[in-house]
Amino acid sequence: MTLGIDRYRKALSTPGAWGFFIPGMLARFPIGMTGISILLFVSETRHDYGTAGALSALAAIGYAVAAPQLARLADRVGQRRVLLSCAAVCGVSGSAFVVSALHTGMPLWTLFVTAAVMGAATPAIGSMVRARWSGLLESSPLKGTAFALESLVDEVIFIAGPVVATSLAVGVNPTAGIIGSLVLVCGGSVLLSLSGRTEPRRRPGNRVTGSALFLGPVAVVAGVNLCFGGMWGSVDMATVAFSGAEEQNFMAGVLLGIYAIGSSVAGVVYGAREWPAPLAQILRVSTVIMAVGILPMLLVHSFLAAGIVLLVAGASSCPAMIAAMMLVGEGVPASRRTEAMAWQSTALWLGVAVGSSASGHLADSFGAHAAYAFAALCGGVGFVVVMAGRRRLEPGPALPTTPPSNLQTSEPGTR
């Protein structure tokens, strides 16, 4: 295991890595905070849960719709310009949202407009960071380790983000959660923009045309990630319903934490070594395990058994995501990576929304086990998408890559 941990140390020791790893982590931490922060803030100030839920959903939709477009713009003009612009717009719109919510005399439409703009102005930080790793470790066997590290960061964000947001909103002030989110995304974006050494740069004269969604494996992997998101949203909702049926709601957090631990541990193990199997094969196997691994939940009626099943089922989640993102990173030209990866985030978010909604209705009508069945169905459809698009996932001709001379080596603010 020491040798495996050493791979993470080597990846982070790559010149320039710390300069974007820490800011990237800070800037995307609000992904796990903003939704719950809006819910807590608006429900406390406006005493309207329906409006709070609608505003939270609108901010998430704004992010999902705008992220690929902002990433495409970053591929065209550089990450620095997009990051600084987004930080400014997000800061202003977020501040306007807080002011509008605090002043009950303000018309309701101001909250919806500012929430939508705030979500849409949130940059696709995860995609930008992974694009930097891809350029920095272009032909290095440590690339898988770096992608595993980013997936672990995502896991931590989704686990710790809601806890931090709730603690701020309940323990400090209702506005503290949303203000904390704004400070992190704006401050982290500015810090990331200062890391000019690793910013991917397009080759002179190379124009970006068309959507990256139609390049190489991007659409296929986005379809798979849509199913992954549907599965995760369903598991979340099903687990809440499962715990509620036993009248022990607090166990939902425990069980989902176990599910996340299974994913995180598998991610650490995955990134600790170099795997000889092709990425497409790893994705196929992981997807099957995800779908089949959740099926025992259809028969489980105890928390102990549920914890064991979710621990095992979660173990395939992180490796599947790592393989999927690496396939995208290796399957498109360097000049299109940020947008290509942003499409994956959008697909995941949409999948989570669909999965949460569908499984919620199923849980209300037929119980938690029906919601778990929908999760397994999402995993099965994901495997079908993988198999149907297997030709797109196989390695093709060598793609144009960004050589070291194309990395931005000038100081921030210079060209």
Side-chain angles (χ1 to χ4, degrees):
M1 189 64 183
T2 303
L3 180 61
I5 297 300
D6 191 55
R7 291 176 64 88
Y8 289 98
R9 182 188 62 78
K10 288 181 179 179
L12 287 170
S13 298
T14 306
W18 282 106
F20 66 81
F21 176 69
I22 295 298
M25 181 168 58
L26 293 174
R28 73 180 189 269
F29 204 88
I31 291 177
M33 294 177 60
T34 303
I36 187 68
S37 293
I38 292 175
L39 284 172
L40 294 171
F41 173 49
V42 176
S43 61
E44 177 66 25
T45 56
R46 293 275 177 152
H47 306 290
D48 186 342
Y49 289 103
T51 298
L55 289 169
S56 179
L58 185 60
I61 291 171
Y63 172 79
V65 171
Q69 313 311 320
L70 290 174
R72 183 181 181 188
L73 186 61
D75 282 332
R76 288 182 55 195
V77 304
Q79 292 187 8
R80 182 174 182 272
R81 294 182 184 179
V82 173
L83 285 166
L84 293 176
S85 299
C86 285
V89 175
C90 192
V92 171
S93 58
S95 299
F97 173 78
V98 172
V99 172
S100 297
L102 289 174
H103 291 76
T104 54
M106 296 287 286
L108 194 59
W109 64 263
T110 60
L111 273 75
F112 282 92
V113 170
T114 52
V117 175
M118 178 174 61
T122 303
I125 299 294
S127 304
M128 293 183 179
V129 171
R130 286 180 171 90
R132 290 179 184 239
W133 277 121
S134 292
L136 199 62
L137 303 174
E138 188 64 60
S139 302
S140 171
L142 293 174
K143 187 190 290 188
T145 301
F147 273 62
L149 184 62
E150 291 303 321
S151 293
L152 291 174
V153 169
D154 288 338
E155 294 280 357
V156 171
I157 287 170
F158 279 108
I159 294 171
V163 176
V164 173
T166 303
S167 299
L168 289 172
V170 176
V172 181
N173 187 278
T175 62
I178 189 66
I179 291 175
S181 296
L182 291 171
V183 169
L184 284 171
V185 70
C186 296
S189 296
V190 171
L191 289 175
L192 183 58
S193 72
L194 298 178
S195 182
R197 178 179 182 180
T198 55
E199 180 181 347
R201 293 186 65 182
R202 295 182 59 246
R203 295 177 178 179
N206 185 25
R207 299 187 62 186
V208 175
T209 57
S211 173
L213 182 63
F214 305 108
L215 295 176
V218 178
V220 174
V221 177
V224 176
N225 278 324
L226 182 68
C227 296
F228 286 172
M231 188 172 188
W232 295 334
S234 300
V235 169
D236 286 352
M237 183 58 67
T239 303
V240 170
F242 180 83
S243 301
E246 300 296 326
E247 298 184 350
Q248 296 189 51
N249 293 327
F250 72 94
M251 284 300 297
V254 175
L255 291 175
L256 291 175
I258 291 173
Y259 187 66
I261 288 171
S263 178
S264 299
V265 171
V268 171
V269 173
Y270 182 97
R273 56 165 292 186
E274 186 176 358
W275 297 85
L279 289 172
Q281 181 179 339
I282 293 173
L283 181 60
R284 286 195 295 270
V285 173
S286 299
T287 305
V288 169
I289 296 174
M290 283 178 67
V292 175
I294 203 68
L295 284 175
M297 285 302 299
L298 303 182
L299 306 173
V300 164
H301 294 280
S302 73
F303 288 119
L304 176 61
I308 294 172
V309 172
L310 290 174
L311 181 69
V312 175
S316 61
S317 177
C318 204
M321 275 299 303
I322 296 167
M325 295 301 280
M326 287 187 68
L327 280 167
V328 172
E330 295 182 359
V332 299
S335 61
R336 308 303 303 276
R337 281 177 183 152
T338 309
E339 182 193 350
M341 292 181 183
W343 278 112
Q344 310 314 315
S345 299
T346 291
L348 281 168
W349 275 104
L350 292 177
V352 169
V354 172
S356 298
S357 177
S359 60
H361 289 296
L362 287 170
D364 283 337
S365 301
F366 305 105
H369 292 92
Y372 281 121
F374 186 79
L377 176 63
C378 289
V381 173
F383 178 71
V384 171
V385 174
V386 170
M387 295 305 296
R390 60 186 180 277
R391 291 186 179 179
R392 286 273 186 172
L393 300 177
E394 297 299 331
L399 288 165
T401 57
T402 303
S405 59
N406 281 354
L407 287 176
Q408 183 172 331
T409 55
S410 57
E411 293 299 317
T414 64
R415 291 290 176 186

